[in-house]
Amino acid sequence: MTDSLGLRERKKRQTRSLISDVASHLFMQRGFDNVTVAEVAEAAGVSAKTVFNYFPRKEDLFLDRYPEAVELVTRAVQERAEGESPVAALRRLFLGMLRDGHPLGGIAPGYEVFWQVILDSPALRARARELVEELEGVIAGLFAEAAGSDPADPTDPTDPAPRLAAALVVAAYRAVYITSIDRIRAGDPMQDVIADRAVQLDRALRAVEQAVAAF
């Protein structure tokens, strides 16, 4: 029974990856708003219903790694070493992804096309903002849990610290990320941007950690 469930899960992941890869190729080739879900389904060899079973929103076909981001952030905070703060755990995670060239690290050769597709689509820009807000909420819940508060209610007005800390982490990451994107689009060498980004991200998140400790 376990093997059967494992096989089904692997097949589901393979199908999800196939659909997303096909969709991303079409979006980068023709633009997000110029490709329909029906066209993605036909190119992937599945039905439109199957596409929506895996991706309830068209935008999530392109921004498909959000669930993985949530999983990585959650694991980093919940499985952090004894004595390591939640912010330090996230700093270690983000720097490690950047160092290893992880797709969620945010900077890699060819990403200019990915960013341009998002910039050219109001729907994708709006969805990206929503996902950032959702991730901030996830981080706030993790911080609340780490502090011994109720993770189901990180916005409890009696303790705004988890939400504030999460907002600072997201703001710091976003500021460094946007700076990196602007530099690459301006023609700066990729390796220089990556090296500088590691320094800036480390510095920004250390500053956040100090600020959070003062709450």
Side-chain angles (χ1 to χ4, degrees), residues 20-33:
S20 175
D21 289 347
V22 168
S24 295
H25 175 74
L26 291 174
F27 295 150
M28 288 190 285
Q29 191 176 56
R30 295 165 46 193
F32 179 80
D33 297 325

Side-chain angles (χ1 to χ4, degrees), residues 10-77:
R10 285 196 297 273
K11 287 185 175 179
K12 286 172 61 178
R13 292 189 179 189
Q14 289 171 355
T15 300
R16 186 181 190 278
S17 179
L18 169 65
I19 294 171
S20 175
D21 289 347
V22 168
S24 295
H25 175 74
L26 291 174
F27 295 150
M28 288 190 285
Q29 191 176 56
R30 295 165 46 193
F32 179 80
D33 297 325
N34 298 321
V35 178
T36 67
V37 172
E39 289 174 318
V40 171
E42 181 179 2
V46 299
S47 67
K49 180 180 179 181
T50 297
V51 173
F52 282 120
N53 283 340
Y54 286 95
F55 302 95
R57 297 176 59 163
K58 178 186 172 185
E59 293 80 9
D60 294 338
L61 283 163
F62 197 61
L63 303 170
D64 63 303
R65 288 187 175 272
Y66 175 73
E68 182 182 359
V70 171
E71 181 181 346
L72 288 171
V73 164
T74 299
R75 190 185 308 140
V77 174

Side-chain angles (χ1 to χ4, degrees), residues 1-214:
M1 184 69 171
T2 302
D3 291 343
S4 177
L5 287 173
L7 178 61
R8 284 202 295 270
E9 181 61 29
R10 285 196 297 273
K11 287 185 175 179
K12 286 172 61 178
R13 292 189 179 189
Q14 289 171 355
T15 300
R16 186 181 190 278
S17 179
L18 169 65
I19 294 171
S20 175
D21 289 347
V22 168
S24 295
H25 175 74
L26 291 174
F27 295 150
M28 288 190 285
Q29 191 176 56
R30 295 165 46 193
F32 179 80
D33 297 325
N34 298 321
V35 178
T36 67
V37 172
E39 289 174 318
V40 171
E42 181 179 2
V46 299
S47 67
K49 180 180 179 181
T50 297
V51 173
F52 282 120
N53 283 340
Y54 286 95
F55 302 95
R57 297 176 59 163
K58 178 186 172 185
E59 293 80 9
D60 294 338
L61 283 163
F62 197 61
L63 303 170
D64 63 303
R65 288 187 175 272
Y66 175 73
E68 182 182 359
V70 171
E71 181 181 346
L72 288 171
V73 164
T74 299
R75 190 185 308 140
V77 174
Q78 292 183 340
E79 299 178 5
R80 70 190 185 280
E82 184 177 355
E84 184 179 40
S85 74
V87 176
L90 291 181
R91 185 180 74 248
R92 176 171 49 81
L93 170 67
F94 297 152
L95 290 174
M97 289 195 299
L98 181 61
R99 180 188 63 247
D100 297 339
H102 191 285
L104 285 170
I107 301 294
Y111 270 36
E112 301 94 323
V113 179
F114 176 83
W115 299 323
Q116 196 60 53
V117 172
I118 295 176
L119 291 173
D120 289 343
S121 171
L124 274 178
R125 292 201 305 273
R127 182 58 176 154
R129 286 192 294 269
E130 289 177 356
L131 292 178
V132 169
E133 290 177 0
E134 288 178 23
L135 185 60
E136 183 178 311
V138 169
I139 294 173
L142 290 168
F143 285 0
E145 182 181 43
S149 302
D150 181 5
D153 187 21
T155 58
D156 181 352
T158 63
D159 184 16
R163 173 65 71 179
L164 180 56
L168 288 173
V169 168
V170 171
Y173 187 92
R174 183 175 182 274
V176 176
Y177 184 60
I178 290 176
T179 298
S180 299
I181 292 174
D182 288 344
R183 287 186 59 191
I184 290 173
R185 296 184 72 211
D188 286 4
M190 177 71 69
Q191 291 306 315
D192 289 351
V193 176
I194 291 176
D196 290 345
R197 184 181 179 199
V199 173
Q200 294 164 357
L201 188 57
D202 180 65
R203 183 182 301 147
L205 290 176
R206 286 184 185 278
V208 169
E209 187 174 13
Q210 292 177 353
V212 169

